[in-house]
Amino acid sequence: MAFTLPDLPYAHDALAGAGMSKETLEYHHDLHHKAYVDNGNKLIEGTEWAGKSLEDVVKGSYQKGAVAQNGIFNNASQHWNHMQFWEMMGPKGGAMPGELESRIKDAFGSVDEFKSQFAAAGAGQFGSGWCWLVVDTDGTLKVTKTENGVNPLCFDQTALLGCDVWEHSYYIDFRNKRPAYLDNFLNKLVNWENVAERLANA
Ligand code: MN3
């Protein structure tokens, strides 16, 4: 089925008080995400992927170990990544639900240690990519980083939290300061209830 650009789950200016401006969301959602949807649809039309679900396209078109991925994978995975990313943020901020907090403490020792590993993964991703909190195939929580559009679906992991570290995600609000963007993301933008829901469904 053709990909469609979902509306943001909040107004474009809803995250402005939490460090992500209306202008960033206008560029990032309305232009960048839309381009992945439009380009993905163009590339997929008439191919074996045309009738497949987005998840099947991402997993099926991923080329394990390849230095560069193909256009169908790049656009489909970035479409999936951004849909998760919008949901993983919210205007409310708020506390981490108890079950999520205790799983994070079990895996990393403390919430602060998790945040520091997550921020280090995002800051250490050379060039464009994402950093993630995932449930790995053995059931453990792990922090990972991926290049370009590669995501946890490629490794049969469940994505609990992901942060876009492509420059288009932070350059308007944070210029070249990726670590400041990551710190703000973790402490002001994450919708922990959404992360907890993903964990409950994992
Ligand atoms: Mn992006």
Side-chain angles (χ1 to χ4, degrees), residues 28 32-33 36 78 82 85-86 130 164-166 168-169:
H28 200 174
H32 287 278
H33 187 172
Y36 297 127
Q78 282 289 74
H82 286 84
F85 185 53
W86 310 135
W130 294 75
D164 187 341
V165 299
W166 287 56
H168 65 227
S169 193

Side-chain angles (χ1 to χ4, degrees), residues 4-197:
T4 53
L5 180 69
D7 287 337
L8 286 173
Y10 30 73
H12 285 77
D13 61 0
L15 305 182
M20 188 170 280
S21 64
K22 182 174 182 230
E23 188 182 4
T24 287
L25 284 171
E26 285 170 350
Y27 273 88
H28 200 174
H29 173 271
D30 303 0
L31 300 177
H32 287 278
H33 187 172
K34 184 174 189 297
Y36 297 127
V37 169
D38 293 346
N39 291 332
N41 283 333
K42 270 183 221 150
L43 289 167
I44 283 169
E45 197 182 333
T47 71
E48 58 179 308
W49 305 108
K52 301 276 184 7
S53 73
L54 175 59
E55 285 76 8
D56 284 348
V57 176
V58 172
K59 288 184 184 185
S61 62
Y62 175 61
Q63 296 173 304
K64 196 178 169 192
V67 174
Q69 295 293 324
N70 59 86
I72 288 177
F73 173 82
N74 286 336
N75 286 283
S77 65
Q78 282 289 74
H79 175 37
W80 187 88
N81 291 344
H82 286 84
M83 286 201 290
Q84 317 309 309
F85 185 53
W86 310 135
E87 290 176 0
M88 289 161 171
M89 298 186 289
K92 282 193 304 184
M96 202 178 268
E99 172 67 17
L100 173 65
E101 187 175 353
S102 83
R103 287 287 302 276
I104 284 179
K105 284 180 177 166
D106 285 350
F108 301 98
S110 69
V111 171
D112 282 348
E113 177 58 25
F114 153 68
K115 286 182 177 176
S116 120
Q117 287 188 26
F118 188 93
Q125 170 56 38
F126 184 73
S128 297
W130 294 75
C131 56
W132 306 93
L133 172 66
V134 302
V135 183
D136 208 351
T137 47
D138 62 2
T140 58
L141 267 57
K142 279 186 188 153
V143 164
T144 68
K145 60 183 177 178
T146 56
E147 65 206 6
N148 299 319
V150 177
N151 67 39
L153 289 179
C154 304
F155 312 106
D156 293 318
Q157 299 163 331
T158 302
L160 301 183
L161 181 64
C163 187
D164 187 341
V165 299
W166 287 56
E167 285 184 347
H168 65 227
S169 193
Y170 59 88
Y171 226 83
I172 291 171
D173 298 319
F174 292 91
R175 296 303 172 192
N176 60 332
K177 297 182 178 66
R178 193 193 283 185
Y181 157 77
L182 283 157
D183 181 72
N184 183 78
F185 174 81
L186 284 164
N187 291 305
K188 291 192 178 163
L189 282 169
V190 176
N191 176 357
W192 295 108
E193 282 178 15
N194 181 267
V195 179
E197 228 172 87

